[in-house]
Amino acid sequence: MERGFPEGFLWGCATAAHQVEGGNHNNDWWEFEQRGGIRTGDSSDPACDHYHRFAGDFRQLRQLGQNAHRLSIEWSRVEPAPGEFDLSQLRHYRDVLSELREQGLSPMVTLHHFTSPLWFTCRGGWAAAGSPAAWLPFVRRVAEELGHLVSFWCTLNEPLIYAYMGWLDGEFPPGRRGDWRGTFRVLANLRRAHEEAYRALHRITPQVPVGIANHRWPLLPHNPKRRLDRLAARVGDRLMTSWPVGRGRLQRVVEAPSDFLGVNHYSRELVRFTLRRTGQGFVDRSVPPGLPLSDFGWAVEPDWLREALLELKPLGKPVYITENGIASVNDEPRQSFLPASLAKAWEAIQAGVDLRGYFHWTSLDNFEWARGYSMRFGLIGVDPETQVRTVKPSAELYARIARANALPDD
């Protein structure tokens, strides 16, 4: 039986500006890199030099059967100082989006994908009062200048991961650890920022749907028979899916105003209650046993993607898988992962989920944040020294699926 996808289904990849462009020296991740924040010692410049090579990269994606692409616009380029907009950078991104359109790729544009200008972070970043108001001029200017070229707006990428990794785990800038108060300030500000951006984008570009790319990383009890483990998993899962809405109340991010639901999914973890990990919410985290692991050490189980999609069905909105992939320096696991994951996405559609697109993470082997070039997620290999691109067998496999708009019988 052919497992066909709905007519008009979007097949693409997702990227983030700082991870592929190179030359971003005016944001918090560059500053974090300069003070030793990258575990491998790698530099994000030139990354994939996509800033200069975007046209060729997009042509390659079109030749590989893709019809959509998710990308971010680098805030620190467009607004290098508060209230000062660089017209040359706006022209650059106009060229980028126009090239996507020329190649037949529908652009999904993310407005904040983990990077902020130095002037913003010097004021306290997303933990500071007034941070949503500081971001909105960028949002409005981009919408006014580029909105006619955009197919979808994605306000924020993984707001909870961003807050937790920067203020609890310390692997993202500003590199704080165990700062729960700061984490909740950041999340409260990101919620307000999304809501205000949603209204502004609807006013300026009413024809363009607006959503969020929200991660889904379930937490399960290490020992389901242990009450404290069950409690830790339940509380942790609530905290990993919600942001504050005032007076001690939490709201699931997927319930925020949106026209579509974006889901980023990679793995899940087990949690065990312990008094020794106060800064980490009194839990030890571990991977479910007996499953293959990615190079990140994340457990790989494609059926979890189906479960993440089914959770969204009651909300009754269009759904896009805005990120899904596997870190593997060897391409063979990716060749197994792709059809297995897409089979689970197809099953979710058969179960009534209004799934309309899949954006693989990612197109190019890129600068994977604090892990540098050590984590290879790309369908296309990139040598950071020579910038030579090498199409992997997984890219050809994905191309066959995209062109057929269906999974092969096997």
Side-chain angles (χ1 to χ4, degrees):
M1 180 185 71
E2 183 183 73
R3 291 165 292 175
F5 285 78
E7 184 178 353
F9 196 82
L10 297 184
W11 298 99
C13 289
T15 59
H18 190 76
Q19 294 182 269
V20 294
E21 285 183 344
N24 281 322
H25 296 177
N26 191 33
N27 67 32
D28 52 348
W29 267 96
W30 178 256
E31 188 273 336
F32 190 63
E33 178 182 319
Q34 304 317 297
R35 55 186 171 97
I38 310 305
R39 294 187 181 189
T40 58
D42 292 330
S43 174
S44 60
D45 192 5
C48 304
D49 194 31
H50 182 69
Y51 186 87
H52 300 104
R53 299 170 185 259
F54 66 87
D57 289 339
F58 294 158
R59 282 196 298 272
Q60 182 71 77
L61 297 180
R62 175 183 57 79
Q63 291 164 7
L64 289 169
Q66 298 183 28
N67 61 8
H69 188 68
R70 179 178 168 230
L71 71 162
S72 71
I73 291 179
E74 178 59 35
W75 181 11
S76 67
R77 289 191 190 273
V78 172
E79 191 180 9
E84 297 180 13
F85 294 94
D86 190 325
L87 298 182
S88 67
Q89 296 299 334
L90 286 166
R91 284 195 296 273
H92 168 78
Y93 285 112
R94 186 177 297 113
D95 291 344
V96 168
L97 295 174
S98 296
E99 183 64 29
L100 277 172
R101 291 284 191 182
E102 183 70 21
Q103 296 300 331
L105 301 171
S106 297
M108 178 181 284
V109 172
T110 306
L111 292 167
H112 190 271
H113 197 135
F114 294 168
T115 57
S116 301
L118 286 176
W119 63 262
F120 178 78
T121 57
C122 286
R123 294 177 172 185
W126 286 106
S131 51
W135 182 59
L136 262 292
F138 161 75
V139 172
R140 289 192 293 265
R141 188 63 178 265
V142 169
E144 290 163 356
E145 298 277 353
L146 307 177
H148 63 290
L149 297 169
V150 174
S151 298
F152 306 89
W153 293 114
C154 179
T155 57
L156 307 170
N157 181 75
E158 297 180 343
L160 289 121
I161 293 293
Y162 173 77
Y164 292 156
M165 295 298 283
W167 278 261
L168 284 182
D169 187 84
E171 187 167 310
F172 284 13
R176 299 184 63 83
R177 294 182 182 273
D179 184 358
W180 283 95
R181 182 175 296 180
T183 299
F184 282 107
R185 281 201 306 268
V186 170
L187 289 173
N189 284 328
L190 288 173
R191 177 187 60 80
R192 285 191 288 269
H194 165 73
E195 291 174 352
E196 293 180 26
Y198 180 81
R199 289 191 291 269
L201 292 168
H202 265 275
R203 185 176 64 255
I204 299 167
T205 56
Q207 76 284 2
V208 182
V210 183
I212 308 178
N214 185 47
H215 82 288
R216 185 62 179 113
W217 190 288
L219 300 178
L220 301 175
H222 182 273
N223 181 356
K225 296 181 179 179
R226 186 171 182 237
R227 184 175 62 84
L228 287 176
D229 284 5
R230 294 197 306 271
L231 177 63
R234 188 164 61 251
V235 172
D237 201 59
R238 177 67 168 165
L239 291 174
M240 287 291 287
T241 56
S242 306
W243 47 19
V245 292
R247 297 184 180 179
R249 294 183 299 112
L250 295 175
Q251 177 198 59
R252 290 195 304 161
V253 174
V254 294
E255 295 170 349
S258 67
D259 305 315
F260 67 88
L261 302 170
V263 58
N264 294 1
H265 175 74
Y266 293 95
S267 188
R268 60 170 51 170
E269 287 180 308
L270 303 178
V271 295
R272 184 204 309 265
F273 180 83
T274 173
L275 292 173
R276 294 191 301 271
R277 301 296 296 275
T278 57
Q280 295 297 318
F282 299 102
V283 297
D284 276 325
R285 298 183 300 176
S286 61
V287 297
L291 292 170
L293 302 179
S294 73
D295 289 355
F296 246 116
W298 299 341
V300 178
E301 172 48 76
D303 195 54
W304 295 340
L305 176 61
R306 180 185 62 85
E307 294 178 12
L309 294 170
L310 288 174
E311 287 181 359
L312 302 177
K313 180 181 173 181
L315 296 170
K317 292 183 179 181
V319 178
Y320 295 87
I321 297 169
T322 38
E323 287 183 26
N324 179 242
I326 181 172
S328 180
V329 68
N330 188 332
D331 194 51
E332 279 77 8
R334 190 172 296 105
Q335 295 170 52
S336 300
F337 174 87
L338 264 168
S341 296
L342 289 169
K344 297 304 178 179
W346 180 85
E347 289 178 11
I349 294 172
Q350 306 315 300
V353 178
D354 186 10
L355 181 64
R356 300 187 183 185
Y358 178 88
F359 293 86
H360 180 75
W361 186 267
T362 180
S363 52
L364 305 168
D365 282 341
N366 61 18
F367 182 80
E368 188 53 41
W369 304 117
R371 308 302 178 98
Y373 301 108
S374 66
M375 295 297 153
R376 312 288 179 83
F377 280 93
L379 297 174
I380 300 170
V382 179
D383 184 328
E385 298 295 326
T386 66
Q387 294 300 322
V388 170
R389 270 72 165 147
T390 303
V391 175
K392 301 177 186 179
S394 58
E396 300 287 2
L397 170 62
Y398 188 45
R400 291 194 293 274
I401 295 170
R403 291 186 188 114
N405 199 36
L407 287 165
D409 290 340
D410 58 359

